[in-house]
Amino acid sequence: MTAITPPLTWSCRTSSSVTGVSSSKRRPSWVYDHGTEPDPRFTLANERTFLAWIRTSLALLAGAAAVHAFDLDVSDTVAAWSGGLLAVGGLLCALQAWFGWARNERALREERPLPSSGVGAVLAAAVAVVALILLVIGSR
Amino acid sequence: MSGRIDEGGPRRSWTRIVWRRLPGDGQRPISRPDPGLQQERTRLAWRRSMLAFAVVGLAVVRAAYVESVHVAVVLALIGLGIAMWLSLTTLRRGRWTWPSQREPEFLEVLRDGTLPLLVTAMAAVLCLAVLANALRLLS
């Protein structure tokens, strides 16, 4: 964090005396009950990462819908399996979006290193499997 | 009148919550503009994500309509309701988290996990609908 310390005018870490917060409780509490408010830029960046995962989820979902819509030259079973697998991938992405966001936010608040997850690898494998199925079976 | 905080009070309504005057409105920025334009990038990221949602959501509802009108109507109603709620909430968030590129001020509505959770739930519902269709085809 020290490498990207903002200039003095941007010392953004706010104490409760200047926040003027009269607000409701922030959820989820397992994130916001820990640590202190991070630089807002990091919070915003975390939110964009969340949105990127959500869009990935939607892209997989669009793929799943396309398998059915485009009337590929494969059997119904194959189409259902590929569509189902892509939909599961989309679900996985959506879950990673949320839990990744929450874990990152908590790590930022506690000034810990950001956590990692294996979802990316699982996702790559799933997409590769679907592509192989469609390539091999679809080209016969 | 700029810089006066509207206390809200008992006259709270949606229009007042969204559009009321904020401290710092109409004043010149006192600090450097954000070099990365984080606020704007985030707002645009939300916008294109919601556009993607609209497109994929419509496609799924359209596909569901062929199979079952009831499922399609339920999906569309869930989507519409959440979309309306989202548009109101994002207006508030966009405005209140970092007003007019001054020092960040955290006002009444703080960014938290509610909106991400809602969006995740919406994506999960769409995924489950497509998954259910695939399973139905298999059986």
Side-chain angles (χ1 to χ4, degrees):
Chain A
M1 289 255 276
T2 48
I4 37 175
T5 304
L8 198 57
T9 44
W10 285 102
S11 58
C12 298
R13 196 164 281 278
T14 45
S15 69
S16 59
S17 60
V18 297
T19 53
V21 173
S22 63
S23 79
S24 49
K25 186 159 165 48
R26 296 166 92 185
R27 273 181 277 268
S29 56
W30 61 272
V31 170
Y32 288 103
D33 283 355
H34 303 267
T36 55
E37 191 65 27
D39 185 327
R41 286 175 293 178
F42 301 156
T43 307
L44 292 171
N46 189 22
E47 207 166 287
R48 290 197 297 276
T49 308
F50 162 79
L51 289 170
W53 273 106
I54 283 290
R55 286 195 302 275
T56 310
S57 164
L58 290 175
L60 288 172
L61 204 54
V67 168
H68 294 297
F70 284 143
D71 206 14
L72 298 175
D73 196 15
V74 293
S75 70
D76 281 355
T77 316
V78 172
W81 268 103
S82 358
L85 208 55
L86 286 172
V88 169
L91 198 60
L92 202 65
C93 277
L95 292 177
Q96 162 63 20
W98 163 251
F99 286 105
W101 173 85
R103 288 166 72 210
N104 283 344
E105 193 67 20
R106 180 161 170 182
L108 284 174
R109 294 182 71 84
E110 293 178 335
E111 298 188 64
R112 282 189 289 106
L114 296 183
S116 68
S117 81
V119 173
V122 176
L123 198 65
V127 172
V129 166
V130 173
L132 267 179
I133 289 176
L134 290 178
L135 259 179
V136 172
I137 301 180
S139 62
R140 276 205 305 218
Chain B
M1 290 296 280
S2 65
R4 202 177 123 254
I5 300 183
D6 187 337
E7 296 299 333
R11 295 164 299 158
R12 253 173 138 68
S13 71
W14 273 110
T15 47
R16 288 185 69 79
I17 289 171
V18 172
W19 297 116
R20 71 189 188 169
R21 194 172 275 279
L22 296 171
D25 274 6
Q27 291 172 15
R28 285 173 48 177
I30 52 169
S31 60
R32 299 151 42 125
D34 176 10
L37 294 173
Q38 307 280 336
Q39 176 100 318
E40 189 167 352
R41 289 159 73 194
T42 310
R43 193 161 50 230
L44 289 171
W46 272 99
R47 202 162 292 174
R48 64 174 177 271
S49 303
M50 293 306 111
L51 278 173
F53 244 117
V55 172
V56 175
L58 279 176
V60 170
V61 168
R62 178 74 180 79
Y65 187 77
V66 180
E67 310 289 339
S68 152
V69 178
H70 297 295
V71 173
V73 167
V74 168
L75 280 177
L77 283 180
I78 292 176
L80 266 180
I82 294 182
M84 283 176 64
W85 197 80
L86 269 180
S87 52
L88 283 171
T89 318
T90 43
L91 270 177
R92 300 160 73 199
R93 278 156 59 96
R95 198 137 184 261
W96 285 17
T97 42
W98 210 342
S100 49
Q101 297 197 336
R102 292 154 58 87
E103 291 288 323
E105 292 175 52
F106 292 107
L107 299 173
E108 270 183 64
V109 175
L110 292 169
R111 236 161 237 267
D112 75 349
T114 314
L115 213 48
L117 184 59
L118 199 66
V119 171
T120 306
M122 199 157 64
V125 166
L126 285 182
C127 286
L128 287 175
V130 173
L131 189 59
N133 188 45
L135 290 178
R136 196 182 53 83
L137 286 178
L138 275 178
S139 61

